[in-house]
Amino acid sequence: MSIKPQSEASAVEQTQTPPVNSKNQAKNDAKRQAKMEKFLAKQAASKAATGANADAAATEAVAAPAKKDKKDKKVKEPRSAPEASKAAFIATPKGEKKNMSQPMADSYEPDVVEASWYDWWESQGFFDPQTGPNGEISPKGQFVIASPPPNVTGKLHIGHAMTIAIQDSLVRWNRMRGLTTLFIPGSDHAGISTQVVVEQQLRKQDGLSRHDLGREAFVDKVWDWKNEYGNIIMSQVRRLGTSYDWNRERFTLDEMMSRATFETFVRLYDDGIIYRSNRLVNWCHALNTTLSNLEVENLEIPGRTLMSVPGYPAKEKFEFGVLVHFAYQVENSDERIVVATTRIETMLGDSAIAVHPEDPRYTHLHGKFVVHPFLDRRIPIIADTVSVDMAFGTGAVKITPAHDNKDYEMGKRHNLNFINLLNEDGTYNDNAGPYAGMLRFHVRRQIVEDLKAKGLYVDTTNNPMVVPICIKSKDIIEPMIKPQWWVKSKTLADPAIEAARDGRLEIIPQSSEKEWYHWLEYIVVWCISRQLWLGHRIPAYFVRIAGQENNPLDQEFWV
């Protein structure tokens, strides 16, 4: 038998954490020193120029007495420039206490006033946990905050500053109270964001995509970028004066963090909390990966709207915010059932027409079939009380379990066929029959024309709706069924709910308890698979036995 690594698992090969870039640190220190010297030189030159101008004005006034005008106005004497004091700054070696021997300057210059202090605080270990002689925790207790790591691609904004200031205030207050405190810094590799940024840079500079380089070479490029640009935000955090213990700084792709991630995955898999399943995912064709709900923006549109879509010519726009009404022909009958959809292209994946069991218009059709107009497919007419409102529209609903979240649940309830129409690049596959190979939104246009040609098109009406957008690529997200790795979030949420209810966990302020319970009580399964090149690779391998067909969804063949 052979063992094949998981093909679609997102993430990068395990790599060693690169050493701290001391060359960059030295370069940054040199820049700060040069900036300070430039400031002092500018201040000295300004003082000299002011004095020279005053002397010249006085000489001119003596040599050429002022002329009186017709109204005998008095000529104002030039005011002498005030004596500017010297800036209170002398270059201080890194980590040493600041030299304060010079007089204080007249004006506040942040670079001068703040220089050197933070390096000295850090060198003195002021932010290290204060413990007893044998490393014991203070009798007054401990206070620890593991700071939520900002994205390595980011730059500090007011939200970061506010959150960090609040956390640092709590840490410093508890430190002054005598508790052993620890404030842990770190940064997140931000897989999607970093991969997008580096690939854009690669395309701009060299005209290449990551596929032209290959995974190994591309990941090396990412590390190069991270070492050169990726620590900007952490330098900015230092400028805030935050009392982090920098000895414990972590990056989420550090070797230790990777080992912890793999260990956690294996434990949760052994406990049955992580599992593999064929379910609907948020698929982004532009990035070619699944996304979490947090990476999807729900764009509300008031009605008919023409929108551009990544992957299509910029001038080409597609219609959203409308309901397309069309008819299905009942098998062996002249009767038709009219349905409506905001995504007409998905009708190629319809596997049922649902009606309410008590709707008198359709009781005679229960158990019968309609005929698909473009494919050799009979579609059953089913009765459902959960998803069908007989007072809405025609009371009949088309069901596409492989491309709609509500239809997915109905497909499970009625054991319907799940017909996936899409390839990962946004083209339609062989299940789409004559539309195979076409881009999804070109199919949208063509199907309307083809329905008109067959006399099955009814109408298009305005319809306010929500369009799911990828927050990174701005692509239109497509619900698509794929085998992926999932977490049973409810299993993890229940103990957190109980901890808050029995008082072991205190939610501050108390008014936020409602949000805590609402979030955890309605939590859904979480897809953790990503088809990225940057990140932690899922440590799962599928066993293929020669001469035997193995089901990739069978947990027994995954190790």
Side-chain angles (χ1 to χ4, degrees), residues 78-376:
R79 291 183 297 180
S80 59
E83 185 72 18
S85 65
K86 295 179 181 179
F89 177 81
I90 295 179
T92 304
K94 185 178 176 61
E96 293 186 11
K97 191 172 183 178
K98 185 175 180 178
N99 187 324
M100 297 290 292
S101 61
Q102 291 294 320
M104 183 177 292
D106 284 342
S107 60
Y108 176 73
E109 296 291 342
D111 285 342
V112 175
V113 175
E114 298 174 11
S116 305
W117 285 117
Y118 196 84
D119 291 335
W120 180 63
W121 295 342
E122 198 174 335
S123 69
Q124 297 301 302
F126 289 156
F127 305 147
D128 296 349
Q130 303 301 304
T131 57
N134 299 317
E136 64 271 19
I137 299 297
S138 167
K140 295 183 178 181
Q142 62 183 7
F143 184 81
V144 179
I145 292 182
S147 181
N151 287 352
V152 73
T153 57
K155 291 184 179 179
L156 211 63
H157 56 66
I158 193 65
H160 289 120
M162 183 188 72
T163 303
I164 291 172
I166 293 172
Q167 293 172 343
D168 195 35
S169 298
L170 292 171
V171 171
R172 288 174 181 270
W173 178 60
N174 281 285
R175 188 181 291 124
M176 290 189 289
R177 293 174 62 214
L179 280 72
T180 297
T181 60
L182 177 60
F183 196 11
I184 305 173
S187 55
D188 191 335
H189 64 276
I192 292 178
S193 296
T194 304
Q195 181 167 306
V196 169
V197 168
V198 175
E199 188 164 16
Q200 286 176 345
Q201 185 183 67
L202 186 66
R203 187 179 295 111
K204 183 177 181 180
Q205 293 179 351
D206 305 321
L208 301 174
S209 72
R210 70 180 189 274
H211 301 285
D212 296 322
L213 288 185
R215 173 175 285 200
E216 299 293 337
F218 179 75
V219 171
D220 289 341
K221 284 280 188 183
V222 171
W223 280 112
D224 291 342
W225 180 90
K226 188 262 180 186
N227 292 332
E228 186 170 357
Y229 301 105
N231 293 320
I232 292 176
I233 194 167
M234 301 316 291
S235 300
Q236 293 173 327
V237 168
R238 275 183 158 90
R239 289 290 304 276
L240 291 176
T242 314
S243 61
Y244 282 127
D245 180 1
W246 291 101
N247 297 316
R248 301 172 190 259
E249 181 183 7
R250 293 291 180 264
F251 178 54
T252 50
L253 284 184
D254 286 348
E255 183 182 0
M256 182 178 73
M257 307 300 284
S258 293
R259 290 202 308 269
T261 301
F262 296 157
E263 174 71 17
T264 301
F265 182 95
V266 173
R267 288 188 184 187
L268 292 177
Y269 177 80
D270 289 342
D271 292 342
I273 296 174
I274 286 180
Y275 65 103
R276 190 166 173 81
S277 178
N278 204 27
R279 298 177 62 94
L280 277 185
V281 300
N282 298 313
W283 185 261
C284 174
H285 295 288
L287 298 180
N288 208 37
T289 185
T290 58
L291 300 175
S292 73
N293 291 338
L294 295 177
E295 292 159 330
V296 178
E297 173 191 2
N298 290 315
L299 176 65
E300 294 186 7
I301 57 176
R304 183 179 183 273
T305 305
L306 296 177
M307 298 173 58
S308 298
V309 179
Y312 296 82
K315 293 183 179 181
E316 189 173 16
K317 297 184 182 297
F318 300 94
E319 190 177 49
F320 293 84
V322 296
L323 271 173
V324 178
H325 304 255
F326 71 100
Y328 270 118
Q329 190 76 43
V330 177
E331 186 180 46
N332 300 322
S333 169
D334 293 333
E335 195 170 358
R336 292 180 173 184
I337 295 181
V338 176
V339 295
T341 177
T342 58
R343 297 157 63 215
I344 186 63
E345 67 277 10
T346 63
M347 61 89 68
L348 297 170
D350 286 355
S351 57
I353 301 297
V355 297
H356 196 280
E358 297 177 4
D359 191 334
R361 292 171 294 180
Y362 303 114
T363 51
H364 65 291
L365 296 177
H366 293 178
K368 298 195 175 196
F369 294 83
V370 296
V371 179
H372 200 287
F374 308 121
L375 302 167
D376 184 17

